[in-house]
Amino acid sequence: MNKRSKNQLSLQVLKKFRIIYGSVRQQFREIEQTCGVTGSQLWILQEVANSPGIGVSELADRLSIHQSTGSQLVEKLVARGLINKERSKEDQRRVGL
C-alpha cells in the first residue's frame, strides 16, 4: 500500500469516526432532554441499580473514568436526591451508593 492509499484510508476512517461520534453526542443530548440527566449520570444510575452499595472507586472502574470524576458525578446525583450515600456499618471508611 502506497502513501497516498494510506492517507485515503486514514481519511475514510476519520470520517466514519466523526459520524459515530456525532451520533453518540446526539443520543446523549436526547437522553438529557428526555430524562433530565446526562448520559454519564444515567450510566451511573444503572450501575448503582444493578449493584446497590457499590463504592465510588468500583463505580469509576466500571465506567473507565478517574475516581475524582466519578465522585463529582455522584455528588451531583446526590444533590438532586437521585442517589443516597451510606456509610458501611462494618467499615465506616467505606461509603456505598
Coordinates of all heavy atoms in Angstrom, one line a residue:
M1 N 0.8 -1.2 0.0 CA 0.0 0.0 0.0 C 0.9 1.2 0.0 O 1.8 1.4 0.8 CB -0.9 0.0 1.2 CG -1.9 1.1 1.3 SD -3.0 1.0 2.7 CE -4.2 -0.1 2.2
N2 N 0.6 2.1 -0.9 CA 1.5 3.3 -1.0 C 1.0 4.4 -0.1 O -0.1 4.3 0.6 CB 1.5 3.9 -2.5 CG 0.2 4.3 -3.0 OD1 -0.7 4.7 -2.2 ND2 0.0 4.2 -4.3
K3 N 1.8 5.5 0.0 CA 1.5 6.5 1.0 C 0.1 7.2 0.7 O -0.7 7.5 1.6 CB 2.6 7.6 1.0 CG 2.4 8.6 2.0 CD 3.6 9.6 2.1 CE 3.4 10.6 3.2 NZ 4.6 11.4 3.3
R4 N -0.2 7.4 -0.6 CA -1.5 8.0 -0.9 C -2.7 7.2 -0.5 O -3.6 7.6 0.1 CB -1.5 8.3 -2.4 CG -2.8 9.0 -2.8 CD -2.8 9.3 -4.3 NE -4.2 9.8 -4.6 CZ -4.5 10.4 -5.7 NH1 -3.5 10.7 -6.6 NH2 -5.7 10.8 -5.9
S5 N -2.6 5.9 -0.7 CA -3.6 4.9 -0.3 C -3.8 4.9 1.2 O -4.9 4.9 1.7 CB -3.3 3.5 -0.8 OG -3.3 3.4 -2.2
K6 N -2.7 5.0 1.9 CA -2.7 5.0 3.4 C -3.4 6.3 3.9 O -4.2 6.3 4.8 CB -1.4 4.9 4.0 CG -0.8 3.5 3.9 CD 0.6 3.5 4.6 CE 1.2 2.1 4.4 NZ 2.6 2.1 5.0
N7 N -3.1 7.4 3.2 CA -3.7 8.7 3.6 C -5.2 8.7 3.3 O -6.0 9.2 4.1 CB -3.1 9.8 2.9 CG -1.7 10.2 3.4 OD1 -1.4 9.8 4.5 ND2 -0.9 10.9 2.6
Q8 N -5.6 8.1 2.2 CA -7.0 8.0 1.9 C -7.8 7.1 2.9 O -8.9 7.4 3.3 CB -7.2 7.5 0.4 CG -6.9 8.5 -0.6 CD -7.0 7.9 -2.1 OE1 -6.9 6.7 -2.3 NE2 -7.1 8.8 -3.0
L9 N -7.2 6.0 3.2 CA -7.8 5.1 4.2 C -7.9 5.8 5.5 O -8.9 5.7 6.2 CB -6.9 3.8 4.3 CG -7.4 2.8 5.3 CD1 -8.8 2.3 4.9 CD2 -6.5 1.6 5.4
S10 N -6.9 6.5 5.9 CA -6.9 7.2 7.2 C -8.1 8.3 7.2 O -8.8 8.4 8.2 CB -5.6 7.9 7.5 OG -4.6 7.0 7.6
L11 N -8.2 8.9 6.1 CA -9.3 9.9 5.9 C -10.7 9.3 6.0 O -11.6 9.8 6.7 CB -9.1 10.7 4.6 CG -10.1 11.9 4.4 CD1 -10.0 12.9 5.6 CD2 -9.8 12.6 3.1
Q12 N -10.8 8.1 5.4 CA -12.1 7.4 5.4 C -12.4 7.0 6.8 O -13.6 7.1 7.3 CB -12.0 6.2 4.5 CG -12.1 6.5 3.0 CD -11.9 5.3 2.1 OE1 -11.5 4.2 2.6 NE2 -12.0 5.5 0.8
V13 N -11.4 6.5 7.5 CA -11.6 6.0 8.9 C -12.0 7.2 9.8 O -12.9 7.2 10.6 CB -10.4 5.3 9.5 CG1 -10.5 5.1 11.0 CG2 -10.1 4.0 8.8
L14 N -11.3 8.4 9.6 CA -11.6 9.6 10.4 C -13.1 10.0 10.1 O -13.8 10.4 11.0 CB -10.6 10.7 10.0 CG -10.8 12.0 10.8 CD1 -10.8 11.8 12.3 CD2 -9.8 13.0 10.3
K15 N -13.5 10.0 8.9 CA -14.9 10.4 8.5 C -15.9 9.5 9.2 O -16.9 10.0 9.8 CB -15.1 10.4 7.0 CG -14.4 11.5 6.3 CD -14.7 11.4 4.8 CE -14.0 12.6 4.0 NZ -14.2 12.4 2.6
K16 N -15.6 8.2 9.2 CA -16.6 7.3 9.9 C -16.6 7.5 11.4 O -17.6 7.4 12.0 CB -16.2 5.8 9.5 CG -16.5 5.5 8.0 CD -16.2 4.1 7.7 CE -16.4 4.0 6.2 NZ -17.4 3.2 5.7
F17 N -15.4 7.7 11.9 CA -15.3 8.0 13.4 C -16.1 9.3 13.7 O -16.9 9.3 14.7 CB -13.9 8.2 13.8 CG -13.7 8.5 15.3 CD1 -13.9 7.5 16.2 CD2 -13.4 9.8 15.7 CE1 -13.8 7.8 17.6 CE2 -13.3 10.1 17.0 CZ -13.5 9.1 18.0
R18 N -16.1 10.3 12.9 CA -16.8 11.5 13.1 C -18.3 11.3 13.1 O -19.1 11.8 13.8 CB -16.4 12.6 12.1 CG -15.1 13.2 12.4 CD -14.8 14.3 11.4 NE -13.5 14.9 11.7 CZ -12.8 15.6 10.9 NH1 -13.2 15.8 9.6 NH2 -11.7 16.2 11.2
I19 N -18.8 10.4 12.2 CA -20.2 10.0 12.1 C -20.6 9.3 13.4 O -21.7 9.7 13.9 CB -20.4 9.1 10.8 CG1 -20.3 10.0 9.6 CG2 -21.8 8.5 10.9 CD1 -20.3 9.1 8.3
I20 N -19.8 8.4 13.8 CA -20.1 7.7 15.1 C -20.2 8.6 16.2 O -21.1 8.6 17.0 CB -19.1 6.5 15.3 CG1 -19.3 5.4 14.2 CG2 -19.3 5.9 16.7 CD1 -18.2 4.4 14.2
Y21 N -19.1 9.5 16.3 CA -19.0 10.4 17.5 C -20.2 11.4 17.4 O -20.8 11.6 18.5 CB -17.7 11.2 17.4 CG -17.5 12.2 18.5 CD1 -17.2 11.7 19.8 CD2 -17.7 13.5 18.3 CE1 -17.1 12.6 20.8 CE2 -17.5 14.4 19.3 CZ -17.2 14.0 20.6 OH -17.1 14.9 21.6
G22 N -20.6 11.8 16.3 CA -21.8 12.7 16.2 C -23.1 12.0 16.6 O -23.9 12.6 17.3
S23 N -23.2 10.8 16.2 CA -24.4 10.0 16.6 C -24.5 9.8 18.1 O -25.5 9.9 18.7 CB -24.4 8.6 15.9 OG -24.5 8.8 14.5
V24 N -23.3 9.5 18.7 CA -23.3 9.4 20.2 C -23.6 10.7 20.9 O -24.4 10.7 21.8 CB -21.9 8.8 20.6 CG1 -21.7 8.9 22.1 CG2 -21.7 7.4 20.1
R25 N -23.1 11.8 20.4 CA -23.4 13.1 21.0 C -24.9 13.4 20.9 O -25.5 13.9 21.9 CB -22.6 14.2 20.3 CG -21.1 14.2 20.8 CD -20.4 15.4 20.2 NE -21.1 16.6 20.3 CZ -20.9 17.7 19.6 NH1 -19.9 17.7 18.6 NH2 -21.6 18.8 19.7
Q26 N -25.5 13.1 19.8 CA -26.9 13.3 19.6 C -27.7 12.5 20.5 O -28.7 12.9 21.1 CB -27.3 13.1 18.1 CG -28.8 13.3 17.9 CD -29.2 14.7 18.1 OE1 -28.5 15.7 17.9 NE2 -30.5 14.9 18.6
Q27 N -27.3 11.2 20.7 CA -28.0 10.3 21.6 C -27.9 10.8 23.0 O -28.9 10.8 23.7 CB -27.4 8.9 21.5 CG -28.1 7.9 22.4 CD -29.5 7.6 22.1 OE1 -29.9 7.7 20.9 NE2 -30.3 7.2 23.0
F28 N -26.8 11.3 23.5 CA -26.6 11.8 24.8 C -27.5 13.1 25.0 O -28.1 13.3 26.1 CB -25.2 12.1 25.1 CG -24.4 10.9 25.6 CD1 -23.1 10.7 25.1 CD2 -24.9 10.0 26.5 CE1 -22.4 9.6 25.6 CE2 -24.2 8.9 26.9 CZ -23.0 8.7 26.5
R29 N -27.6 13.9 24.0 CA -28.4 15.1 24.1 C -29.9 14.7 24.2 O -30.6 15.3 25.0 CB -28.3 16.0 22.8 CG -27.2 17.0 22.9 CD -27.2 18.0 21.7 NE -25.9 18.0 21.1 CZ -25.6 17.6 19.9 NH1 -26.6 17.2 19.1 NH2 -24.4 17.6 19.5
E30 N -30.3 13.7 23.5 CA -31.7 13.3 23.6 C -32.0 12.6 25.0 O -33.1 12.9 25.5 CB -32.0 12.3 22.5 CG -32.1 12.9 21.1 CD -32.2 11.9 20.0 OE1 -32.5 10.7 20.2 OE2 -32.1 12.3 18.8
I31 N -31.0 11.9 25.5 CA -31.2 11.3 26.8 C -31.4 12.4 27.9 O -32.2 12.4 28.7 CB -30.0 10.4 27.2 CG1 -30.0 9.1 26.4 CG2 -29.9 10.1 28.7 CD1 -28.7 8.3 26.5
E32 N -30.5 13.5 27.8 CA -30.6 14.5 28.7 C -31.9 15.3 28.6 O -32.5 15.6 29.7 CB -29.4 15.5 28.5 CG -29.2 16.5 29.6 CD -27.9 17.2 29.6 OE1 -27.1 16.9 28.8 OE2 -27.7 18.0 30.5
Q33 N -32.4 15.5 27.4 CA -33.7 16.2 27.3 C -34.8 15.4 27.8 O -35.7 15.9 28.4 CB -33.9 16.6 25.8 CG -33.0 17.6 25.3 CD -33.1 17.9 23.8 OE1 -33.8 17.1 23.1 NE2 -32.5 18.9 23.3
T34 N -34.8 14.1 27.6 CA -35.8 13.2 28.0 C -35.8 12.9 29.5 O -36.8 12.9 30.1 CB -35.8 11.8 27.2 OG1 -35.8 12.1 25.8 CG2 -36.9 10.9 27.6
C35 N -34.6 12.6 30.0 CA -34.5 12.1 31.4 C -34.1 13.2 32.4 O -34.2 13.0 33.6 CB -33.5 11.0 31.5 SG -33.9 9.6 30.4
G36 N -33.5 14.3 31.9 CA -33.0 15.3 32.8 C -31.7 15.0 33.4 O -31.3 15.7 34.4
V37 N -31.0 14.0 33.0 CA -29.7 13.7 33.5 C -28.8 13.4 32.3 O -29.3 13.1 31.2 CB -29.7 12.4 34.4 CG1 -30.4 12.7 35.7 CG2 -30.2 11.2 33.7
T38 N -27.5 13.6 32.5 CA -26.6 13.3 31.3 C -26.5 11.8 31.1 O -26.8 11.0 31.9 CB -25.2 13.9 31.7 OG1 -24.6 13.2 32.8 CG2 -25.2 15.4 32.0
G39 N -25.9 11.5 30.0 CA -25.7 10.1 29.6 C -24.8 9.4 30.7 O -25.0 8.3 31.1
S40 N -23.7 10.1 31.2 CA -22.9 9.6 32.2 C -23.6 9.3 33.5 O -23.4 8.3 34.1 CB -21.7 10.5 32.4 OG -20.9 10.7 31.2
Q41 N -24.4 10.3 33.9 CA -25.2 10.2 35.1 C -26.2 9.0 35.0 O -26.4 8.2 35.9 CB -25.9 11.5 35.4 CG -25.0 12.6 35.8 CD -25.7 13.9 36.0 OE1 -26.7 14.2 35.2 NE2 -25.3 14.7 36.9
L42 N -26.8 8.8 33.8 CA -27.7 7.7 33.6 C -27.0 6.4 33.7 O -27.5 5.5 34.3 CB -28.4 7.9 32.2 CG -29.5 6.8 31.9 CD1 -30.6 7.0 32.9 CD2 -30.0 7.0 30.5
W43 N -25.8 6.3 33.2 CA -25.0 5.1 33.3 C -24.7 4.8 34.8 O -24.8 3.7 35.2 CB -23.7 5.3 32.5 CG -22.9 4.0 32.3 CD1 -23.2 2.8 32.7 CD2 -21.7 4.0 31.6 NE1 -22.2 1.9 32.3 CE2 -21.2 2.6 31.7 CE3 -20.8 4.9 31.0 CZ2 -20.0 2.2 31.1 CZ3 -19.7 4.4 30.4 CH2 -19.3 3.1 30.5
I44 N -24.4 5.9 35.5 CA -24.1 5.7 37.0 C -25.4 5.1 37.7 O -25.3 4.2 38.5 CB -23.6 7.0 37.6 CG1 -22.2 7.3 37.2 CG2 -23.8 6.9 39.1 CD1 -21.7 8.6 37.6
L45 N -26.5 5.7 37.4 CA -27.8 5.3 38.0 C -28.0 3.8 37.6 O -28.5 3.0 38.5 CB -28.9 6.1 37.5 CG -28.9 7.6 38.0 CD1 -30.0 8.4 37.3 CD2 -29.2 7.6 39.5
Q46 N -27.7 3.4 36.4 CA -27.9 2.0 36.0 C -26.9 1.1 36.8 O -27.4 0.0 37.3 CB -27.6 1.8 34.5 CG -27.7 0.4 34.1 CD -27.3 0.2 32.7 OE1 -27.0 1.1 32.0 NE2 -27.4 -1.1 32.2
E47 N -25.7 1.5 37.0 CA -24.7 0.7 37.7 C -25.1 0.5 39.2 O -25.0 -0.5 39.8 CB -23.3 1.2 37.6 CG -22.7 1.1 36.2 CD -22.4 -0.4 35.8 OE1 -22.2 -1.2 36.7 OE2 -22.5 -0.6 34.6
V48 N -25.6 1.6 39.8 CA -26.0 1.6 41.2 C -27.2 0.7 41.3 O -27.3 0.0 42.3 CB -26.2 3.1 41.7 CG1 -26.9 3.0 43.1 CG2 -24.9 3.8 41.7
A49 N -28.2 0.8 40.4 CA -29.4 0.0 40.4 C -29.0 -1.5 40.3 O -29.6 -2.3 41.0 CB -30.3 0.4 39.3
N50 N -28.0 -1.8 39.5 CA -27.6 -3.2 39.3 C -26.7 -3.7 40.5 O -26.7 -4.9 40.7 CB -26.8 -3.3 38.0 CG -27.7 -3.2 36.8 OD1 -28.9 -3.4 36.8 ND2 -27.1 -2.9 35.7
S51 N -26.0 -2.8 41.2 CA -25.1 -3.2 42.3 C -25.3 -2.3 43.5 O -24.5 -1.4 43.7 CB -23.7 -3.1 41.8 OG -23.5 -4.0 40.7
P52 N -26.5 -2.4 44.2 CA -26.7 -1.5 45.3 C -25.5 -1.6 46.3 O -25.0 -2.7 46.6 CB -28.0 -2.0 45.9 CG -28.7 -2.7 44.8 CD -27.6 -3.3 44.0
G53 N -25.1 -0.5 46.9 CA -24.0 -0.5 47.8 C -22.6 -0.4 47.2 O -21.6 -0.3 47.9
I54 N -22.6 -0.3 45.9 CA -21.3 -0.1 45.2 C -20.6 1.2 45.6 O -21.2 2.2 45.9 CB -21.5 -0.1 43.6 CG1 -20.2 -0.1 42.9 CG2 -22.3 1.2 43.2 CD1 -20.4 -0.3 41.3
G55 N -19.3 1.1 45.7 CA -18.5 2.2 46.1 C -18.1 3.1 44.9 O -18.2 2.6 43.8
V56 N -17.7 4.3 45.1 CA -17.3 5.2 44.1 C -16.1 4.7 43.3 O -16.1 4.8 42.1 CB -17.1 6.6 44.6 CG1 -16.6 7.6 43.5 CG2 -18.3 7.2 45.2
S57 N -15.1 4.1 44.0 CA -14.0 3.6 43.2 C -14.3 2.5 42.3 O -13.9 2.5 41.1 CB -12.9 3.1 44.2 OG -12.4 4.2 45.0
E58 N -15.1 1.5 42.7 CA -15.6 0.4 41.8 C -16.4 1.0 40.7 O -16.3 0.6 39.6 CB -16.3 -0.6 42.6 CG -16.7 -1.8 41.7 CD -17.5 -2.9 42.5 OE1 -17.5 -2.9 43.7 OE2 -18.0 -3.8 41.8
L59 N -17.3 1.9 41.0 CA -18.1 2.6 40.0 C -17.2 3.2 38.9 O -17.5 3.0 37.7 CB -19.0 3.6 40.7 CG -20.0 4.3 39.8 CD1 -21.0 3.3 39.2 CD2 -20.8 5.4 40.6
A60 N -16.2 4.0 39.4 CA -15.3 4.6 38.4 C -14.6 3.6 37.5 O -14.5 3.8 36.3 CB -14.3 5.5 39.2
D61 N -14.2 2.5 38.1 CA -13.6 1.4 37.4 C -14.5 0.9 36.3 O -14.1 0.7 35.2 CB -13.1 0.3 38.3 CG -11.9 0.6 39.1 OD1 -11.2 1.5 38.8 OD2 -11.7 -0.2 40.1
R62 N -15.8 0.6 36.7 CA -16.7 0.1 35.7 C -17.0 1.1 34.6 O -17.3 0.6 33.5 CB -18.1 -0.2 36.4 CG -18.0 -1.4 37.3 CD -19.3 -1.8 37.8 NE -19.3 -2.9 38.8 CZ -20.3 -3.4 39.3 NH1 -21.5 -3.1 38.9 NH2 -20.2 -4.4 40.2
L63 N -16.9 2.4 34.9 CA -17.2 3.4 33.8 C -15.9 3.8 33.1 O -16.0 4.6 32.2 CB -17.9 4.6 34.4 CG -19.4 4.6 34.6 CD1 -19.9 3.5 35.4 CD2 -19.9 5.9 35.0
S64 N -14.8 3.3 33.5 CA -13.5 3.6 33.0 C -13.2 5.1 33.0 O -12.8 5.7 32.1 CB -13.4 3.1 31.5 OG -13.4 1.7 31.5
I65 N -13.5 5.7 34.2 CA -13.2 7.1 34.5 C -12.4 7.2 35.7 O -12.3 6.3 36.5 CB -14.5 7.9 34.6 CG1 -15.4 7.4 35.7 CG2 -15.3 8.0 33.3 CD1 -16.6 8.2 36.0
H66 N -11.8 8.4 35.9 CA -11.0 8.6 37.1 C -11.9 8.7 38.3 O -13.1 9.1 38.2 CB -10.2 9.9 37.0 CG -9.1 10.1 38.0 ND1 -9.4 10.6 39.2 CD2 -7.8 9.8 38.0 CE1 -8.2 10.7 39.9 NE2 -7.3 10.1 39.2
Q67 N -11.4 8.3 39.5 CA -12.2 8.2 40.7 C -12.7 9.6 41.1 O -13.9 9.7 41.5 CB -11.4 7.7 41.9 CG -12.2 7.3 43.1 CD -12.3 8.5 44.1 OE1 -11.5 9.4 44.0 NE2 -13.3 8.5 44.9
S68 N -11.9 10.7 40.9 CA -12.4 12.0 41.2 C -13.6 12.5 40.3 O -14.5 13.1 40.7 CB -11.3 13.0 41.2 OG -10.7 13.1 39.9
T69 N -13.5 12.1 39.0 CA -14.6 12.4 38.1 C -15.8 11.6 38.5 O -16.9 12.2 38.5 CB -14.2 11.9 36.7 OG1 -13.0 12.6 36.3 CG2 -15.3 12.3 35.7
G70 N -15.7 10.4 38.9 CA -16.8 9.6 39.4 C -17.5 10.3 40.6 O -18.7 10.4 40.8
S71 N -16.6 10.7 41.6 CA -17.1 11.4 42.8 C -17.9 12.6 42.4 O -18.9 12.9 43.0 CB -15.9 11.8 43.7 OG -15.3 10.7 44.2
Q72 N -17.4 13.4 41.5 CA -18.1 14.7 41.1 C -19.5 14.3 40.5 O -20.5 15.0 40.8 CB -17.3 15.5 40.1 CG -16.1 16.1 40.7 CD -15.2 16.7 39.7 OE1 -15.3 16.6 38.5 NE2 -14.2 17.5 40.1
L73 N -19.5 13.3 39.6 CA -20.8 12.9 39.0 C -21.8 12.4 40.1 O -23.0 12.7 40.1 CB -20.6 11.8 37.9 CG -19.9 12.3 36.7 CD1 -19.4 11.1 35.8 CD2 -20.8 13.2 35.9
V74 N -21.2 11.6 41.0 CA -22.1 11.1 42.1 C -22.6 12.2 42.9 O -23.8 12.2 43.3 CB -21.3 10.0 42.9 CG1 -22.0 9.8 44.2 CG2 -21.1 8.8 42.1
E75 N -21.8 13.2 43.3 CA -22.2 14.3 44.1 C -23.4 15.1 43.5 O -24.3 15.5 44.2 CB -21.0 15.2 44.5 CG -20.1 14.6 45.5 CD -20.7 14.2 46.8 OE1 -21.6 14.9 47.3 OE2 -20.3 13.1 47.2
K76 N -23.3 15.2 42.2 CA -24.4 15.9 41.5 C -25.7 15.1 41.6 O -26.8 15.7 41.8 CB -24.1 16.2 40.0 CG -23.0 17.2 39.8 CD -22.7 17.4 38.4 CE -21.5 18.4 38.2 NZ -21.1 18.6 36.8
L77 N -25.6 13.8 41.5 CA -26.8 13.0 41.7 C -27.3 12.9 43.1 O -28.5 12.9 43.3 CB -26.5 11.5 41.2 CG -26.3 11.4 39.7 CD1 -25.7 10.0 39.3 CD2 -27.5 11.7 38.9
V78 N -26.4 13.0 44.1 CA -26.8 13.0 45.5 C -27.5 14.3 45.8 O -28.5 14.3 46.4 CB -25.5 12.8 46.4 CG1 -25.9 13.2 47.8 CG2 -25.0 11.4 46.3
A79 N -27.0 15.4 45.3 CA -27.6 16.8 45.5 C -29.0 16.8 44.9 O -29.8 17.5 45.5 CB -26.7 17.8 44.8
R80 N -29.2 16.1 43.9 CA -30.6 16.0 43.3 C -31.5 15.0 43.9 O -32.6 14.9 43.5 CB -30.5 15.8 41.8 CG -29.8 16.9 41.0 CD -29.7 16.7 39.6 NE -31.0 16.5 39.0 CZ -31.2 16.1 37.7 NH1 -30.2 15.9 36.9 NH2 -32.5 16.0 37.3
G81 N -30.9 14.2 44.8 CA -31.7 13.2 45.5 C -32.0 12.0 44.7 O -32.9 11.2 45.0
L82 N -31.1 11.7 43.7 CA -31.3 10.6 42.9 C -30.5 9.4 43.3 O -30.7 8.2 42.9 CB -30.9 10.9 41.4 CG -31.8 12.0 40.8 CD1 -31.2 12.4 39.4 CD2 -33.2 11.5 40.6
I83 N -29.5 9.6 44.2 CA -28.7 8.6 44.8 C -28.5 8.9 46.3 O -28.3 10.1 46.6 CB -27.3 8.5 44.1 CG1 -27.4 7.9 42.7 CG2 -26.3 7.6 44.9 CD1 -26.0 7.7 42.0
N84 N -28.4 7.9 47.1 CA -28.1 8.1 48.5 C -26.7 7.5 48.8 O -26.3 6.5 48.2 CB -29.1 7.4 49.4 CG -30.4 8.0 49.3 OD1 -30.6 9.2 49.3 ND2 -31.5 7.2 49.3
K85 N -25.9 8.2 49.6 CA -24.6 7.7 50.1 C -24.8 7.2 51.5 O -25.5 7.9 52.3 CB -23.6 8.8 50.0 CG -23.2 9.2 48.6 CD -22.3 10.4 48.6 CE -21.2 10.5 49.5 NZ -20.3 11.7 49.3
E86 N -24.3 6.0 51.8 CA -24.4 5.5 53.1 C -23.2 4.8 53.6 O -22.6 4.0 52.8 CB -25.6 4.4 53.1 CG -26.1 4.0 54.4 CD -27.3 3.1 54.3 OE1 -28.3 3.5 53.7 OE2 -27.2 1.9 54.7
R87 N -22.7 5.1 54.8 CA -21.5 4.5 55.3 C -21.8 3.1 55.7 O -22.8 2.8 56.2 CB -21.0 5.3 56.6 CG -20.5 6.7 56.2 CD -19.3 7.0 57.1 NE -18.8 8.3 56.6 CZ -17.8 8.4 55.8 NH1 -17.2 7.4 55.3 NH2 -17.3 9.6 55.4
S88 N -20.8 2.2 55.5 CA -20.9 0.8 55.8 C -20.9 0.7 57.4 O -20.1 1.4 58.0 CB -19.7 0.1 55.2 OG -19.6 -1.2 55.8
K89 N -21.8 -0.2 57.9 CA -21.8 -0.4 59.3 C -20.5 -1.2 59.8 O -20.1 -1.0 60.9 CB -23.0 -1.2 59.7 CG -24.3 -0.3 59.5 CD -25.6 -1.1 59.9 CE -26.8 -0.3 59.8 NZ -27.3 -0.1 58.5
E90 N -20.0 -2.0 58.9 CA -18.8 -2.8 59.2 C -17.5 -2.0 59.1 O -16.6 -2.2 59.9 CB -18.7 -4.0 58.3 CG -19.8 -5.0 58.4 CD -21.0 -4.7 57.6 OE1 -20.9 -4.0 56.6 OE2 -22.1 -5.0 58.1
D91 N -17.5 -1.1 58.1 CA -16.3 -0.3 57.9 C -16.7 1.1 57.6 O -17.1 1.4 56.5 CB -15.5 -0.9 56.7 CG -14.1 -0.2 56.5 OD1 -13.9 0.9 57.1 OD2 -13.4 -0.6 55.6
Q92 N -16.6 2.0 58.6 CA -17.1 3.4 58.5 C -16.3 4.2 57.4 O -16.8 5.2 57.0 CB -16.9 4.1 59.8 CG -17.9 3.6 60.8 CD -19.4 4.0 60.5 OE1 -19.6 5.2 60.2 NE2 -20.3 3.0 60.4
R93 N -15.2 3.7 56.9 CA -14.4 4.4 55.9 C -15.1 4.2 54.5 O -15.0 5.0 53.6 CB -13.0 3.9 55.8 CG -12.2 4.1 57.1 CD -10.9 3.4 57.0 NE -11.1 2.0 57.0 CZ -10.2 1.1 56.9 NH1 -8.9 1.4 56.7 NH2 -10.5 -0.2 57.0
R94 N -15.9 3.1 54.4 CA -16.5 2.7 53.1 C -17.9 3.4 53.0 O -18.7 3.3 53.8 CB -16.6 1.2 52.9 CG -17.0 0.8 51.5 CD -17.1 -0.7 51.4 NE -17.3 -1.1 50.1 CZ -18.4 -0.9 49.3 NH1 -19.4 -0.1 49.8 NH2 -18.5 -1.4 48.1
V95 N -18.1 4.0 51.8 CA -19.4 4.6 51.5 C -20.0 3.9 50.3 O -19.3 3.8 49.3 CB -19.2 6.2 51.2 CG1 -20.6 6.8 50.8 CG2 -18.6 6.9 52.4
G96 N -21.2 3.4 50.5 CA -21.9 2.7 49.4 C -22.9 3.6 48.8 O -23.4 4.6 49.5
L97 N -23.3 3.3 47.6 CA -24.3 4.1 46.9 C -25.6 3.3 46.7 O -25.5 2.1 46.6 CB -23.8 4.6 45.6 CG -22.5 5.3 45.6 CD1 -22.0 5.5 44.1 CD2 -22.7 6.6 46.3

